[in-house]
Amino acid sequence: MNLDPNNDGLYSDQERYQLLNFLANEYPELEGNYDVDNDSKVTILEQTQGRLPLSMRIPERAISSEKKVPWALNLFPEWLMTAYFQEDAQVGKLPKHSSRGTIIANATQTTDALQPVKADAKKGLNF
Ligand SMILES: [Ca+2]
């Protein structure tokens, strides 16, 4: 079972769709119409709107299951109030950085000399 085929350590909307299908097959009480717009992706909004957080609904027997779901920082997006991912930034200077999470607070830095820089796709941001 590979729930992170793009291997970036996060759940994309396509991967979240697969993750929720897997969980619904393993734990029928988690079944739900997550993919509201039928695009074979599940956004965080689709996952969370109108229901309790996934982390509160996963049954206790999942802890002892042989089938483990890979951990990712955004496995339970409801835990992320505001998070900034290097994947959301383009290489180069960053006058702004979009956030993810329950509270969206996009970061901006208008002073050119103080703008962080992303030098490479997977080497973080330098402040
Ligand atoms: Ca969808």
Side-chain angles (χ1 to χ4, degrees):
M1 170 180 62
N2 182 3
L3 291 172
D4 183 21
N6 73 3
N7 203 31
D8 69 353
L10 296 169
Y11 286 103
S12 67
D13 290 351
Q14 293 95 336
E15 292 163 343
R16 187 172 304 285
Y17 176 82
Q18 297 299 326
L19 166 71
L20 291 166
N21 282 338
F22 167 79
L23 289 173
N25 283 331
E26 291 294 311
Y27 311 105
E29 61 267 50
L30 295 179
E31 285 180 7
N33 181 26
Y34 296 101
D35 183 13
V36 177
D37 61 2
N38 288 314
D39 65 354
S40 300
K41 301 175 188 174
V42 175
T43 64
I44 291 171
L45 182 62
E46 285 175 311
Q47 178 181 320
T48 57
Q49 201 160 44
R51 60 187 120 224
L52 288 172
L54 183 63
S55 58
M56 294 175 67
R57 295 184 291 120
I58 286 185
E60 193 170 349
R61 66 185 188 280
I63 295 169
S64 56
S65 172
E66 295 289 315
K67 295 180 181 177
K68 300 297 183 190
V69 169
W71 170 253
L73 188 60
N74 67 348
L75 174 60
F76 299 122
E78 64 273 13
W79 291 2
L80 300 176
M81 287 297 113
T82 303
Y84 303 89
F85 291 87
Q86 66 173 331
E87 288 77 7
D88 295 337
Q90 296 179 349
V91 171
K93 281 193 146 195
L94 298 173
K96 63 180 183 179
H97 193 172
S98 304
S99 75
R100 303 187 202 183
T102 306
I103 300 170
I104 299 298
N106 298 325
T108 58
Q109 176 52 266
T110 54
T111 304
D112 188 71
L114 299 177
Q115 290 174 355
V117 176
K118 181 176 179 179
D120 188 83
K122 292 204 170 191
K123 292 187 177 171
L125 308 180
N126 299 313
F127 290 84

